[in-house]
Amino acid sequence: MSLDDLPTQLPQAAGAEPETMVRRVDRPSPLRDKVTRAEELRLQLADEIVRGVLPPGSALDETDIARRFSVSRTPVREALRQLVASGLVEARAHRGAVVAQPSLDRLTEMFEAMAELEALCAGLAAERMPPGDRQKLEAIHEELRVLSHAGNPERFHEVNERFHNAIYAGSQNSYIAEMTLATRVRVQPFRRAQFRNLGRLAKSHAEHDRVVVAIMRGDKAGAAAAMRAHIELVRGEYELYAVSV
């Protein structure tokens, strides 16, 4: 099972008609002809936010965005409203919309939740991940090892996403995987930034290695502890990055 196969809608009440599946906000939809222009804009802007093109605190002016994408302000306004609802954007009085820049206390809370959710996924993956998916995880881990020596944080980040997605899917619990992914989207701009720290890629791979070893051994507690420690270190690395810029 791949994370991309996971449904991303909340469970429906018994007898209720299922709602249209909510697409992942951290990548463009493959069904471009079936989404509204506002949805396309939301996906594009969300992708730029999680990739760091639009860093925390960046102003999101409706007129500028409309001009950039050659649309009216109506779909822009709706896209920004959806991004505010997702937590990636904040609407501030007299300042308009800006890319979310949570306080240090709030960011600490977000990373704390992220650590627990990822630890839960890793522990369940140690118990439940099918043999074929374990081999794929090892292959991704090896790809990250090579990239850690190449010194390309952008490419490392992309493959790192696949690594964590594989563990979410390996939990074999789509609801937990959805919650974990949704939280990661909120924290994504801050997780991405820490890869710019000197030596961080090699450290990240070493942290991953402890997670992978525990999963391969079927060590639920060990996998959870290793993943929790990894995310806590990610938070620390981001704080180091934040004071350096």
Side-chain angles (χ1 to χ4, degrees):
M1 179 175 69
S2 164
L3 188 65
D4 293 333
D5 299 325
L6 295 174
T8 52
Q9 64 182 41
L10 295 175
Q12 302 295 312
E17 290 296 323
E19 296 181 0
T20 303
M21 185 176 294
V22 178
R23 300 180 182 87
R24 289 178 54 176
V25 299
D26 60 337
R27 66 172 50 190
S29 166
L31 304 176
R32 290 284 182 178
D33 57 330
K34 295 186 178 181
V35 299
T36 66
R37 188 56 178 141
E39 176 73 356
E40 287 185 330
L41 284 171
R42 181 185 71 83
L43 291 168
Q44 288 173 301
L45 292 171
D47 185 61
E48 291 183 0
I49 291 170
V50 300
R51 287 190 295 109
V53 176
L54 293 171
S58 297
L60 298 170
D61 182 77
E62 290 182 10
T63 302
D64 290 344
I65 294 172
R67 185 182 302 114
R68 177 184 168 197
F69 291 101
S70 301
V71 297
S72 71
R73 292 176 62 178
T74 299
V76 173
R77 193 173 297 114
E78 175 59 20
L80 292 177
R81 187 193 66 77
Q82 293 176 16
L83 288 168
V84 168
S86 75
L88 286 177
V89 167
E90 295 177 359
R92 298 180 178 178
H94 311 301
R95 289 187 55 190
V98 298
V99 177
Q101 190 172 29
S103 66
L104 181 59
D105 287 344
R106 181 63 170 172
L107 192 59
T108 297
E109 292 172 350
M110 290 162 66
F111 269 109
E112 187 175 70
M114 185 85 265
E116 293 304 318
L117 286 168
E118 294 231 18
L120 179 58
C121 286
L124 291 174
E127 287 187 325
R128 303 174 180 180
M129 183 179 279
D133 290 345
R134 290 172 190 259
Q135 292 175 1
K136 291 177 183 177
L137 179 64
E138 286 186 303
I140 297 170
H141 183 48
E142 173 61 18
E143 188 175 354
L144 285 170
R145 184 190 68 78
V146 174
L147 289 170
S148 70
H149 295 292
N152 184 340
E154 294 302 316
R155 179 59 182 156
F156 189 94
H157 171 77
E158 292 173 6
V159 180
N160 182 65
E161 295 294 280
R162 288 167 45 206
F163 177 85
H164 285 273
N165 284 355
I167 293 174
Y168 302 168
S171 72
Q172 300 291 295
N173 186 313
S174 61
Y175 187 73
I176 291 173
E178 290 160 24
M179 288 194 297
T180 308
L181 177 60
T183 303
R184 189 180 78 193
V185 168
R186 294 285 302 274
V187 182
Q188 193 78 298
F190 312 99
R191 290 181 66 159
R192 184 186 189 89
Q194 48 97 29
F195 285 129
R196 299 187 179 95
N197 288 353
L198 183 64
R200 179 56 192 153
L201 303 188
K203 291 178 184 177
S204 180
H205 182 266
E207 293 157 21
H208 284 180
D209 194 64
R210 290 187 279 274
V211 176
V212 172
V213 168
I215 289 176
M216 296 307 155
R217 290 177 176 172
D219 179 1
K220 181 178 182 179
M227 182 61 86
R228 185 180 294 107
H230 169 53
I231 302 302
E232 289 172 353
L233 286 168
V234 168
R235 180 181 70 180
E237 289 285 341
Y238 170 73
E239 290 174 357
L240 287 174
Y241 169 79
V243 299
S244 70
V245 296

